[in-house]
Amino acid sequence: MAPAGKDSGFHREGNEWFYKAGLPSDIIVSVDGVNFHLHKFPLMAKCGKMARIYEESQSTHVKILTTVLEEFPGGPDTFLIVAKFCYSVKIELTPRNTTMVYCAADYLEMTEEYGEGNLLSKAESFFYKSILRNWKDCILALQSSEPVMHGAEKLQIISRSLNALSVMVCTDPSLFGWPMMMYGSLQSPGGSILWNGINTGARIQSSESDWWFDDISYLSIVLFERLIKTMEVRGLRPENLVGAIMYYARKYLPGLGRWHSGQSSIPRTVASFSLKPVAPDQRVVLESIEKLLPQKKGKSFCRFLLGLLRVALILGVDQTCKDSLEQRIGVQLELATLDSVLIPSYSDADTLYNTDCVQRIIHHFMSTESRIESFSPTSLDMETSPSSGPIRKVAKLIDSYIAEVASDVNLKPTKIRSLAEAIPGSARSLHDGLYRALDIYFKAHPWLPEKEKEELCNIIDFQKLSIDACAHASQNERLPLRIVLQVLFFEQMHLRTALAGCLHVLDAESAPAAPATVPVEMAGQIVQRDGWVTVVRENQVLKVDMERMRSRVGELEEEFSKIKQEMKKVSKSHSSLSSPRLVARKIGCKLLPRPSDAQRETLEITEPTPRASSVEKARSSNHSRHRKSFSLF
């Protein structure tokens, strides 16, 4: 807007504007408390609304007509431009005032019917020929249209500006028609590099598509939302739309930028705006941003959603927005990191972290996984299931999360249990992470009763503990005694299974190769499925072998005591010295016959009874095994 100097004929005195025409004013127009002392003929010649107001006032026969223009577009500043135009004073249309002047001319009905080249046609021509063809001017016009939204909608200023911006975003920016500074290099309209204003012919090799993010962030959330939807209809790539939404959210939601990595801190902008960014309501911004976000998956996007949820909990947005964010995060929980999942409690809760929110996110994840698994083929092993990868990652993430929050002294055992049981036990190939989390919890809660400790330990499958974890648990004084005994039992089973595997490998290496009748994968599944039954059977066999060995040792001890008694008797008898064969017969030993006695032995041997023969055989077998031991006596 041109300054109101002495040449324009208008001057201001407080809240009163006057025009120096040498004639007293006969009409006073009041706009937002500012009075304009004007003349009826210049206004009636250009403004249809003012002509109608003057005709309606003829019946009152007043010398000075006073009228109030309610809700005039642009206020007193815009009406001053209109008044100058009516007095044929030269005005300047700019991107900042065109929308206001356009709406004001429509409000006062300044059409061609009241003069050729009227203000309405001039503003319309400038808007279509200049504003809509320039990126910066189009954004400035949109910014200035926010106070006159209703009139701008009626004249299609907003919709046409949004369409023009979306077209320029989808087009090469070097074709917009102005030299511009992008990424530190001055470009010509053709896209080549300029050196001291001279076209070098070199093309800029840049595939950046986020040059417009900072420019559109100067718009209000209402216009920004409409622009994003317009670009989406025009077919702009979703990743670019998401990038623009994230940029806008980080600009107006403090603290959100640290939860989204991978973006440069240097804003890339084409236009140079002197207007300050809008100061919107942060709750409105967040709720609108959530509605604009597409159903997308990605590590950076998941981190952004978790940061958005933190801000939502701080601002206290409506429950619908929070539920939607939790559901979006639950769909891609396997991409989350531990630091982003640690959401503090911003309310008056006793706990340090908002575990209820994380538990709801896990619930959304599990409901999504169940829908996925319903369309996947059944499998004996979870590793062959399409959804086993994400669920195992989530199980590992939740175990680490429980270990982090376990040091909170106000955290209840029921909350630990509910978090651990939110993921099925089959999703964990090893329960080492869960054991570590419970150990940290027991260390931070030494006053916990043994019964509650045992109830928490029941969520651990001790068969899925590694050997190192079993060794640690067997010496852990914080665990209940019953749990330690159970750990020792399974540790023994692990060792026995490992030993059996080594022996099996040795037998397989020594045995000749046989044709394999069962595939290796199927054999592994059968062993995993029937492992418990096999261990039980081996345990029973070992018990039987131990009973047999115990009875055998008892028999040997009994035989040994008998031999000692016989030897004592022999030592007391004097006849034993002269007749060693007699001693041998008494103790049940059979000496080798001498050659001279062979015939005598054959005569003395009689046929033994069955019972005696069996006893003799047993004794001979027992004595033969311990012949070396007997020689010591």
Side-chain angles (χ1 to χ4, degrees):
M1 183 178 67
K6 295 181 180 179
D7 296 339
S8 66
F10 286 87
H11 69 281
R12 183 171 185 173
E13 298 177 3
N15 285 337
E16 309 290 330
W17 278 94
F18 297 93
Y19 182 72
K20 296 179 180 180
L23 298 173
S25 62
D26 52 7
I27 184 172
I28 300 175
V29 181
S30 179
V31 179
D32 295 341
V34 179
N35 298 325
F36 292 85
H37 299 265
L38 306 174
H39 303 84
K40 59 183 178 182
F41 290 110
L43 295 180
M44 292 173 58
K46 298 290 186 179
C47 305
K49 186 178 181 66
M50 298 304 299
R52 188 171 61 255
I53 292 174
Y54 181 78
E55 291 176 358
E56 293 174 355
S57 65
Q58 288 298 312
S59 58
T60 59
H61 301 286
V62 294
K63 292 183 179 180
I64 299 178
L65 175 63
T66 303
T67 181
V68 178
L69 298 180
E70 300 289 345
E71 299 180 357
F72 186 80
D77 294 337
T78 304
F79 186 80
L80 181 60
I81 298 175
V82 174
K84 288 180 180 180
F85 180 82
C86 292
Y87 281 89
S88 299
V89 178
K90 185 178 180 180
I91 63 172
E92 181 183 2
L93 293 177
T94 64
R96 286 181 168 83
N97 66 16
T98 299
T99 303
M100 299 290 188
V101 173
Y102 197 173
C103 295
D106 179 72
Y107 179 88
L108 294 173
E109 301 175 10
M110 301 177 70
T111 61
E112 296 293 316
E113 182 181 352
Y114 295 92
E116 186 178 356
N118 210 343
L119 185 59
L120 184 62
S121 61
K122 285 186 176 294
E124 183 179 7
S125 176
F126 183 80
F127 176 75
Y128 282 98
K129 292 181 179 180
S130 178
I131 300 296
L132 294 183
R133 296 183 180 182
N134 190 286
W135 171 264
K136 173 184 175 181
D137 295 345
C138 198
I139 292 181
L140 291 174
L142 271 177
Q143 272 192 324
S144 61
S145 67
E146 293 173 7
V148 290
M149 192 74 70
H150 180 71
E153 288 284 2
K154 176 185 175 183
L155 297 173
Q156 298 184 348
I157 295 175
I158 295 179
S159 59
R160 293 183 184 276
S161 299
L162 294 176
N163 287 329
L165 289 176
S166 61
V167 169
M168 283 186 267
V169 166
C170 297
T171 311
D172 186 359
S174 63
L175 304 177
F176 290 173
W178 72 87
M180 54 190 175
M181 181 70 70
M182 290 183 64
Y183 321 124
S185 300
L186 186 64
Q187 295 187 30
S188 69
S192 57
I193 301 177
L194 298 179
W195 180 75
N196 289 339
I198 303 174
N199 190 346
T200 61
R203 303 288 295 184
I204 292 181
Q205 303 295 329
S206 177
S207 59
E208 299 289 346
S209 59
D210 57 353
W211 56 267
W212 49 278
F213 288 0
D214 188 67
D215 295 340
I216 66 173
S217 66
Y218 286 86
L219 300 176
S220 66
I221 185 60
V222 177
L223 292 176
F224 177 81
E225 184 177 358
R226 292 187 57 180
L227 178 59
I228 292 296
K229 292 180 179 179
T230 305
M231 291 178 178
E232 184 179 4
V233 172
R234 192 163 290 276
L236 192 66
R237 292 189 301 175
E239 52 269 25
N240 290 341
L241 293 177
V242 172
I245 295 170
M246 290 181 177
Y247 191 96
Y248 191 92
R250 292 196 306 273
K251 187 171 185 177
Y252 295 105
L253 298 176
L256 185 61
R258 65 184 296 263
W259 298 109
H260 182 64
S261 58
Q263 294 290 340
S264 176
S265 59
I266 302 176
R268 295 189 174 100
T269 179
V270 175
S272 177
F273 299 102
S274 60
L275 293 179
K276 295 181 179 180
V278 294
D281 186 359
Q282 293 183 355
R283 292 182 59 183
V284 176
V285 170
L286 197 149
E287 292 172 1
S288 302
I289 289 297
E290 187 278 322
K291 294 177 183 177
L292 288 176
L293 291 174
Q295 296 296 334
K296 181 179 177 294
K297 295 184 70 173
K299 289 185 178 180
S300 60
F301 186 66
C302 182
R303 188 177 182 86
F304 170 77
L305 289 176
L306 284 163
L308 208 62
L309 180 59
R310 288 170 178 261
V311 180
L313 294 174
I314 296 174
L315 297 177
V317 299
D318 58 19
Q319 190 62 36
T320 305
C321 179
K322 289 188 287 188
D323 293 342
S324 180
L325 286 174
E326 290 174 357
Q327 186 175 5
R328 290 175 182 270
I329 297 169
V331 172
Q332 49 191 319
L333 184 58
E334 71 275 8
L335 303 176
T337 56
L338 178 59
D339 60 333
S340 58
V341 175
L342 291 170
I343 302 174
S345 294
Y346 299 106
S347 59
D348 297 332
D350 296 333
T351 56
L352 296 176
Y353 297 98
N354 194 338
T355 56
D356 294 332
C357 179
V358 175
Q359 189 171 353
R360 288 192 297 267
I361 292 174
I362 299 173
H363 174 73
H364 290 303
F365 171 78
M366 292 306 303
S367 61
T368 305
E369 285 294 305
S370 62
R371 289 196 298 268
I372 295 175
E373 288 180 1
S374 62
F375 294 97
S376 62
T378 57
S379 174
L380 294 175
D381 190 2
M382 283 195 61
E383 293 182 355
T384 60
S385 177
S387 60
S388 61
I391 197 172
R392 290 186 184 275
K393 292 180 181 178
V394 171
K396 186 176 180 180
L397 174 67
I398 298 305
D399 291 347
S400 301
Y401 174 81
I402 298 174
E404 285 292 329
V405 303
S407 57
D408 185 4
V409 294
N410 295 323
L411 193 63
K412 303 298 181 183
T414 53
K415 185 58 62 179
I416 290 286
R417 188 180 186 90
S418 59
L419 284 172
E421 292 179 345
I423 301 294
S426 57
R428 297 179 174 92
S429 57
L430 286 176
H431 280 216
D432 291 5
L434 201 56
Y435 165 71
R436 173 177 171 269
L438 290 185
D439 185 41
I440 295 174
Y441 185 75
F442 293 156
K443 185 177 181 180
H445 301 75
W447 58 85
L448 206 64
E450 292 290 317
K451 183 178 180 182
E452 293 186 358
K453 287 185 178 181
E454 290 182 2
E455 290 178 354
L456 282 178
C457 290
N458 289 334
I459 63 179
I460 301 178
D461 186 358
F462 293 99
Q463 297 185 69
K464 291 186 177 182
L465 286 182
S466 63
I467 297 179
D468 295 335
C470 284
H472 183 276
S474 62
Q475 302 176 6
N476 195 345
E477 298 179 354
R478 290 184 287 271
L479 294 180
L481 181 59
R482 188 180 66 84
I483 301 301
V484 173
L485 294 176
Q486 191 174 358
V487 170
L488 289 172
F489 172 74
F490 286 109
E491 184 181 12
Q492 184 183 11
M493 280 178 39
H494 280 308
L495 295 174
R496 187 178 299 163
T497 304
L499 182 60
C502 294
L503 294 176
H504 179 71
V505 170
L506 293 175
D507 293 341
E509 291 178 355
S510 60
T517 58
V518 181
V520 177
E521 295 81 5
M522 185 62 68
Q525 293 176 0
I526 294 173
V527 169
Q528 187 172 1
R529 183 185 61 192
D530 300 335
W532 177 251
V533 178
T534 305
V535 169
V536 171
R537 290 178 179 175
E538 290 180 355
N539 198 11
Q540 292 176 352
V541 172
L542 288 174
K543 287 182 179 180
V544 173
D545 292 340
M546 290 179 66
E547 291 294 334
R548 291 178 179 176
M549 184 63 68
R550 190 178 292 110
S551 62
R552 183 60 181 165
V553 170
E555 291 178 359
L556 292 175
E557 290 179 350
E558 184 179 356
E559 291 291 336
F560 184 70
S561 62
K562 289 181 179 180
I563 292 173
K564 289 178 68 177
Q565 292 176 1
E566 292 293 336
M567 292 298 295
K568 289 180 181 179
K569 293 178 181 180
V570 170
S571 61
K572 293 180 180 180
S573 176
H574 296 282
S575 60
S576 59
L577 297 175
S578 59
S579 181
R581 293 183 176 274
L582 181 60
V583 175
R585 286 195 186 95
K586 289 183 179 181
I587 63 175
C589 296
K590 185 177 181 181
L591 300 178
L592 293 175
R594 291 177 299 182
S596 59
D597 299 336
Q599 187 176 0
R600 188 182 304 171
E601 271 191 340
T602 56
L603 296 175
E604 294 178 354
I605 293 176
T606 58
E607 186 177 355
T609 60
R611 182 177 179 182
S613 64
S614 61
V615 173
E616 186 67 26
K617 289 179 181 180
R619 288 183 177 179
S620 62
S621 62
N622 293 336
H623 296 166
S624 62
R625 294 179 183 177
H626 303 281
R627 186 170 299 160
K628 293 182 179 180
S629 301
F630 297 158
S631 61
L632 297 176
F633 297 97

